[in-house]
Amino acid sequence: MINGSAYVAGSDECVPRQLSWRRIIWSAALIWTCLVAALMLGTALADPGFTSPVAVSSLGLIWIAVFAGILFVGRRFCESSRPGGVSLFDALDVQAGEQCVIFADAAMAMVDQKGRLRTVNEHFCRILGRTPGEVLGKPAWDFIPPEDHETFRRQLRRRRRGISGAYELRVVRPDGEIRVLLAAVHPVYDRFGKNVGGLGLLSDITEKKRAETAVREHADYLEKVNRELEAARAEAERALAVRDQFLANVTHELRTPLTAILGYAETLLVEGDITKAPPVRLGAIQTILRNGQYLLQIINDLLDIARIEAGEWVTELKPFSPARVAADVLSLLRVKADDKGLPLLLELRPPLPRLIRSDPFRVRQILINLVGNAVKFTNTGSVRLIVKAVTSDEGDCRLEFDVIDTGIGIPSDQLERVFEPFYQVVGSAARRCGGTGLGLAISRHLARRLGGDISVVSEVGLGSSFRLTLPAGNPSELEWDTSPTPDGEATATSEWSGGSGAERPVRLTARVLLAEDAPDTRRLFVHILESVGVELETAENGAEAVRAALHAMREARPFDCVLMDMQMPEMDGYQAVRVLRESGYNSPIIALTANAEPGDRSRCLQAGCDGFAAKPLSKDALIRLVSKYASDCRGVRCPASL
């Protein structure tokens, strides 16, 4: 079959053959009409009297009868010559539809009222994967899946009612493949207005439907994945909340007894004539104090690594003197170095900037870790801290803090691993020194948060050199010191050093309300503050603190400050502070908390506190805290500012 041809059910001939039969019939009718017309014209010319109405009517009836006979005989002839096929009249009446099928480039088909395929084109057969002989005259539902039969019948009824429409229809190929067609179908009528079937334009949308199905399945998959991710995120958030709550509880439960342990050990060490104490007792007290400090450092390191993993680390940038921070760090660690007989040396190589902008607390923390490790792992030789400024190729200035020791050294294959959390260098010498393996991991994270880094070179048996690099800014904007000195080194001491200054009597004039539920901590703070002259009143929970503070306000004898523990039974410190502020209490309230999470300070200040102090507090730290609000103070050693 050539393109542009159509196949008609009941015949192997094409429609042009059928059109020749039509021309013969219509030609016969036309010839008869011409004969009658010529006869009437000739008779009228020969006999003018023939134009009477009776004669004309008779001749017209004869013409009509013969004309109808020609058409009737022709129709019967066509029906008898094509058994089971459509009549010639049907072919004439749907000629326009068949011509559309013949010359269409798209898939088209015509069905009769019973749903049998009467006319199809090549494109339609190609979609079905069948020859015309396998299609013509067959019911359309022979090629439709059973589950779609009712849809086809419903659409067939709509055509009978003269309703056009478009719908999706599935067909089955011989190999079992199902193709999806989009059918636009219109009813077809004969010349007398009788519905004889439907003409459909069909488009194969199988690939489109497959794409839509794939997109829908992918969208469903993405939605499922999104739900799983949301569930995982919610679970992670719940886990983080549980972890945060656990850390808060553990911090509180560990720091609270450490406050009493360190505080009472310090009290035993500094009060009275310590020279009269037996050496064994003095050594026991120092051991308690030293191990309490070590335990506190472990707790702080664990909290720091938890903050790092949670991304909750906070830095506070401000100007400070790098030379003074370096001197302060060496002063803090000099006692440990002296115990091992190690020289602790500071080299300030000029020129150095007088001030840089960074976080002095974090820089100090990094250097304490680096220098502390150097002292820990060095038994002979020395430990040096070298501070110098260098200018990069881009013109920016950076500070380099080199911590050089002559200790046991680190194997080359472990140099990078020492910065991993909880990792410790393999070796009996390193194991004997102890530690959690968190200090270097925390230090490198802090350095990178400040825009710098930490690197290391080492050789086993010769020592190690750790370098802390920090950005200092534009050299032209810095004030340079050509002869830097470690100003303030002599005043920098550990708050738990035990040298509290008995040689300088401290006296405070102040009224203080202490709200603390832990009896050991309460007795310790009462002992320390009353020993320096503070008039003290205590409360065991937030409700008692509120009553005492409001009573003092009504009596016109307000407290100079309220020391408020934030975790107490009945009414915690946060609620107590809010109640006091809502009641018009304006005197200073200082938050005391064993929690050290980044948000604790801001949470306390938002509740209405004027200050914040984290436990454990040393004797000096507690006295300095209260002295800020005392009406009179003497002999108080103020902390050196950076």
Side-chain angles (χ1 to χ4, degrees):
M1 185 187 87
I2 61 172
N3 188 29
S5 297
Y7 301 98
V8 180
S11 175
D12 293 331
E13 299 178 346
C14 297
V15 170
R17 175 82 176 268
Q18 297 177 16
L19 294 179
S20 63
W21 285 104
R22 296 171 189 164
R23 284 193 291 269
I24 293 173
I25 296 171
W26 283 107
S27 297
L30 181 60
I31 293 172
W32 167 248
T33 302
C34 293
L35 288 175
V36 172
L39 178 62
M40 292 179 65
L41 180 61
T43 304
L45 292 175
D47 184 5
F50 183 74
T51 58
S52 65
V54 175
V56 173
S57 299
S58 299
L59 190 58
L61 290 174
I62 294 172
W63 175 80
I64 292 173
V66 175
F67 187 84
I70 293 173
L71 295 181
F72 179 75
V73 171
R75 178 171 181 176
R76 297 291 295 181
F77 173 77
C78 291
E79 289 178 345
S80 61
S81 63
R82 293 192 298 112
V86 295
S87 68
L88 179 59
F89 275 119
D90 291 338
L92 290 172
D93 293 335
V94 298
Q95 180 179 359
E98 289 184 348
Q99 292 298 323
C100 291
V101 176
I102 292 171
F103 297 107
D105 288 331
M108 297 186 73
M110 291 181 63
V111 298
D112 59 20
Q113 286 187 320
K114 295 182 179 180
R116 290 173 299 190
L117 290 164
R118 290 302 182 184
T119 307
V120 297
N121 67 358
E122 179 184 5
H123 298 284
F124 181 77
C125 293
R126 189 182 304 125
I127 291 176
L128 286 182
R130 291 175 168 85
T131 63
E134 296 175 312
V135 174
L136 291 172
K138 301 289 182 64
W141 46 77
D142 285 357
F143 313 105
I144 299 174
E147 55 269 24
D148 290 354
H149 285 181
E150 182 57 34
T151 299
F152 180 75
R153 290 190 177 94
R154 184 168 57 252
Q155 291 294 328
L156 197 61
R157 290 193 293 270
R158 289 170 59 88
R159 303 297 90 76
R160 292 169 183 166
R161 296 198 301 268
I163 302 174
S164 300
Y167 65 101
E168 291 183 5
L169 180 67
R170 297 189 303 166
V171 296
V172 183
R173 294 168 59 93
D175 58 2
E177 180 187 3
I178 294 180
R179 309 292 294 183
V180 183
L181 308 181
L182 178 62
V185 187
H186 299 274
V188 177
Y189 302 93
D190 62 13
R191 65 185 300 176
F192 302 107
K194 178 183 177 182
N195 183 282
V196 294
L199 173 63
L201 174 64
L202 303 106
S203 175
D204 189 346
I205 60 171
T206 304
E207 300 306 322
K208 176 184 176 183
K209 296 298 291 185
R210 288 175 179 172
E212 291 177 353
T213 300
V215 170
R216 183 168 57 253
E217 290 176 351
H218 188 62
D220 293 341
Y221 170 75
L222 292 178
E223 185 178 355
K224 178 183 176 182
V225 171
N226 186 58
R227 288 196 301 268
E228 292 175 351
L229 290 176
E230 285 294 325
R233 183 182 64 83
E235 183 63 26
E237 289 178 350
R238 285 193 295 270
L240 286 175
V242 171
R243 190 208 64 177
D244 291 343
Q245 185 62 44
F246 173 77
L247 286 175
N249 292 338
V250 169
T251 300
H252 182 268
E253 295 304 321
L254 291 177
R255 285 176 175 269
T256 297
L258 270 178
T259 300
I261 293 171
L262 292 173
Y264 282 114
E266 184 187 24
T267 300
L268 291 174
L269 194 60
V270 302
E271 291 189 1
D273 190 355
I274 196 65
T275 60
K276 297 180 180 180
V280 174
R281 183 180 302 172
L282 180 60
I285 295 172
Q286 291 173 337
T287 300
I288 293 173
L289 190 61
R290 183 173 59 254
N291 283 276
Q293 295 172 17
Y294 179 66
L295 180 58
L296 179 61
Q297 182 60 47
I298 292 176
I299 295 172
N300 291 337
D301 285 347
L302 290 172
L303 291 173
D304 286 346
I305 204 70
R307 294 190 194 106
I308 290 172
E309 292 176 352
E312 298 174 348
W313 202 275
V314 178
T315 56
E316 182 180 357
L317 303 181
K318 61 182 180 181
F320 69 94
S321 167
R324 187 158 188 178
V325 169
D328 185 31
V329 169
L330 293 196
S331 182
L332 287 171
L333 297 172
R334 194 171 300 282
V335 174
K336 291 184 178 180
D338 290 344
D339 289 342
K340 300 182 71 172
L342 292 174
L344 198 55
L345 307 176
L346 174 62
E347 298 181 23
L348 303 176
R349 296 183 179 177
L352 285 177
R354 293 185 184 276
L355 298 174
I356 65 170
R357 184 172 180 80
S358 190
D359 189 328
F361 178 79
R362 302 305 181 190
V363 174
R364 173 186 167 116
Q365 182 178 354
I366 296 170
L367 291 177
I368 287 175
N369 271 324
L370 297 180
V371 178
N373 281 345
V375 172
K376 181 194 300 185
F377 294 106
T378 302
N379 295 320
T380 61
S382 65
V383 175
R384 291 186 297 158
L385 174 57
I386 302 174
V387 185
K388 61 180 180 292
V390 296
T391 302
S392 66
D393 296 336
E394 292 77 16
D396 294 329
C397 177
R398 68 175 185 271
L399 280 182
E400 292 181 351
F401 298 82
D402 291 331
V403 179
I404 304 172
D405 65 61
T406 56
I408 61 176
I410 305 171
S412 58
D413 59 341
Q414 300 183 47
L415 287 178
E416 280 303 312
R417 296 201 64 189
V418 297
F419 294 103
E420 298 176 5
F422 303 104
Y423 182 79
Q424 293 180 318
V425 176
V426 177
S428 59
R431 294 294 185 187
R432 286 196 300 269
C433 296
T436 60
L438 292 175
L440 289 177
I442 295 171
S443 296
R444 171 171 274 189
H445 176 82
L446 289 176
R448 290 177 174 177
R449 284 292 299 269
L450 296 174
D453 204 352
I454 297 178
S455 59
V456 59
V457 292
S458 182
E459 187 170 345
V460 176
L462 296 180
S464 304
S465 176
F466 284 83
R467 171 171 290 177
L468 166 65
T469 304
L470 293 175
N474 191 330
S476 62
E477 299 176 356
L478 298 173
E479 182 182 355
W480 293 91
D481 189 351
T482 57
S483 56
T485 58
D487 182 30
E489 179 182 1
T491 63
T493 59
S494 169
E495 64 173 352
W496 296 101
S497 63
S500 67
E503 68 279 7
R504 296 196 305 167
V506 175
R507 301 301 298 175
L508 300 179
T509 302
R511 290 190 74 243
V512 175
L513 172 62
L514 172 64
E516 171 64 60
D517 65 311
D520 293 335
T521 303
R522 188 169 63 249
R523 284 194 298 269
L524 174 65
F525 285 179
V526 168
H527 173 77
I528 293 173
L529 293 177
E530 287 185 344
S531 68
V532 296
V534 174
E535 180 183 348
L536 202 65
E537 187 171 337
T538 62
E540 297 183 6
N541 56 60
E544 291 183 7
V546 169
R547 287 194 295 269
L550 294 180
H551 177 74
M553 184 180 66
R554 287 192 294 268
E555 295 292 327
R557 295 183 68 247
F559 297 103
D560 292 305
C561 70
V562 176
L563 301 179
M564 182 75 72
D565 184 26
M566 304 310 288
Q567 286 187 310
M568 294 184 292
E570 295 189 27
M571 179 186 291
D572 63 21
Y574 300 101
Q575 187 177 357
V577 172
R578 284 191 290 267
V579 171
L580 287 174
R581 294 311 188 198
E582 292 171 358
S583 301
Y585 189 85
N586 297 319
S587 296
I589 301 176
I590 312 303
L592 298 180
T593 176
N595 294 336
E597 291 301 303
D600 289 331
R601 178 185 295 272
S602 59
R603 184 183 175 195
C604 293
L605 298 179
Q606 290 174 1
C609 295
D610 299 281
F612 174 91
K615 300 176 186 177
L617 284 171
S618 69
K619 177 180 178 179
D620 282 355
L622 180 60
I623 293 174
R624 287 196 301 270
L625 178 64
V626 175
S627 68
K628 297 178 183 179
Y629 307 97
S631 57
D632 182 46
C633 59
R634 299 190 305 275
V636 178
R637 183 175 59 196
C638 297
S641 59
L642 293 173

